[in-house]
Amino acid sequence: TEPGGMDRIRSMMGVCPQFDVLWKSLTGMEHLWIFGLVKGVPVKDVFKEASALLEKVALTHAAAQKAGTYSGGMKRRLSVAIALLGDPKIVFLDEPTTGMDPISRRYVWDIIESAKPGRAIVLTTHSMEEADILGDRISIMARGDVRALGSSIRLKQKFGAGYSISVSAKSGSASQMADRNDNGNSKEVKAFFMEALGLHPREENRAYTTFLIPREKEKSLPHFLEELEKRQEDLGISDIHLSLTTL
């Protein structure tokens, strides 16, 4: 309510809206120049900071192109750059990777992760993978109500189904391969999991067979993993992955 209050707020806050607010006839550099002045970045610093951000979001090559010619992923990257302009103390990102291909999405995740120090970032997303990777504190909402709040590990411990173990078998002799499934994992591996934990595979592909360890069997894991490691050669296992279940 004080005079000049909004100017101070703009200099402290960055926003990436769900839908890009860009002018088709302006270039990427011109967007950053205008928003830099709106946010109160000194005129002498605008070009330097804008150039650094364009490089950070891999848009240096398109700095002089009109935003109307940008792809969807390029527009989202420009919107993220605008949000980070002026070194804001709080940044709001509303579904910043919507519509992006997997490579561009991973690239923007790296940008957001590197921008965390020294500021608070509030991010909304429908992607639980994105929340898992970027969220230090995650709030899960359903029908307008907060249903869970905590770190990724805390949420997985409280609500998760348990641990996931993925195993891959080595290529062996013709007789050994004949006794294996198409995905290369031996029948002996499945039999071992069934005997020790009473588990069927949750997922099978040509590389790995994955078993989900329910919470009630977690106490058996240390002994089971010791036995699995001892019998790794006998069972023809080349690789073992242990992880928490995903969000």
Side-chain angles (χ1 to χ4, degrees):
T1 59
E2 296 180 9
M6 282 305 300
D7 290 336
R8 291 197 295 274
I9 290 173
R10 290 190 187 101
S11 68
M12 297 171 59
M13 185 174 69
V15 179
C16 173
Q18 181 178 2
F19 302 104
D20 300 306
V21 182
L22 303 172
W23 293 279
K24 294 181 180 180
S25 57
L26 296 184
T27 67
M29 177 59 77
E30 287 169 342
H31 274 88
L32 289 172
W33 185 275
I34 291 173
F35 278 100
L37 296 179
V38 169
K39 288 186 174 188
V41 179
V43 176
K44 62 182 178 64
D45 297 331
V46 172
F47 181 78
K48 180 180 178 181
E49 188 168 336
S51 298
L53 276 170
L54 285 171
E55 182 176 357
K56 196 170 188 179
V57 299
L59 286 177
T60 301
H61 69 286
Q65 287 180 221
K66 292 182 178 180
T69 66
Y70 283 14
S71 67
M74 292 169 71
K75 289 178 180 177
R76 294 308 284 163
R77 298 207 302 273
L78 179 58
S79 294
V80 171
I82 291 171
L84 297 176
L85 188 62
D87 192 27
K89 297 306 177 187
I90 183 166
V91 178
F92 295 95
L93 304 175
D94 191 357
E95 300 185 28
T97 62
T98 299
M100 283 188 181
D101 62 87
I103 295 176
S104 294
R105 184 179 297 118
R106 288 279 179 179
Y107 194 85
V108 171
W109 287 351
D110 290 341
I111 294 167
I112 296 171
E113 187 67 38
S114 66
K116 282 183 179 181
R119 61 175 56 89
I121 297 179
V122 180
L123 182 148
T124 64
T125 180
H126 287 288
S127 168
M128 298 306 288
E129 182 186 11
E130 184 167 86
D132 196 359
I133 290 172
L134 296 177
D136 298 316
R137 198 157 181 250
I138 300 169
S139 172
I140 298 176
M141 299 185 67
R143 297 182 180 179
D145 294 327
V146 174
R147 300 301 178 92
L149 179 66
S151 67
S152 174
I153 292 177
R154 170 63 179 156
L155 293 177
K156 289 177 182 180
Q157 287 175 337
K158 188 173 182 179
F159 301 107
Y163 287 88
S164 176
I165 298 179
S166 297
V167 296
S168 179
K170 304 174 184 177
S171 297
S173 64
S175 60
Q176 288 176 317
M177 291 302 292
D179 196 34
R180 293 182 181 176
N181 293 336
D182 291 340
N183 61 11
N185 289 289
S186 64
K187 293 178 181 178
E188 286 85 352
V189 171
K190 293 182 184 180
F192 180 73
F193 271 81
M194 176 56 69
E195 181 183 348
L197 298 174
L199 298 177
H200 290 288
R202 182 186 184 184
E203 183 181 349
E204 297 182 69
N205 55 50
R206 297 189 67 83
Y208 288 94
T209 297
T210 301
F211 299 85
L212 183 63
I213 313 299
R215 296 180 67 85
E216 62 269 18
K217 296 184 183 291
E218 286 181 8
K219 292 182 179 179
S220 306
L221 264 183
H223 176 70
F224 172 78
L225 290 173
E226 286 179 4
E227 288 298 313
L228 184 63
E229 193 170 32
K230 287 178 184 177
R231 295 191 56 187
Q232 185 170 343
E233 193 66 33
D234 293 339
L235 294 172
I237 295 173
S238 60
D239 197 16
I240 302 171
H241 288 180
L242 174 66
S243 62
L244 282 169
T245 51
T246 66
L247 278 179

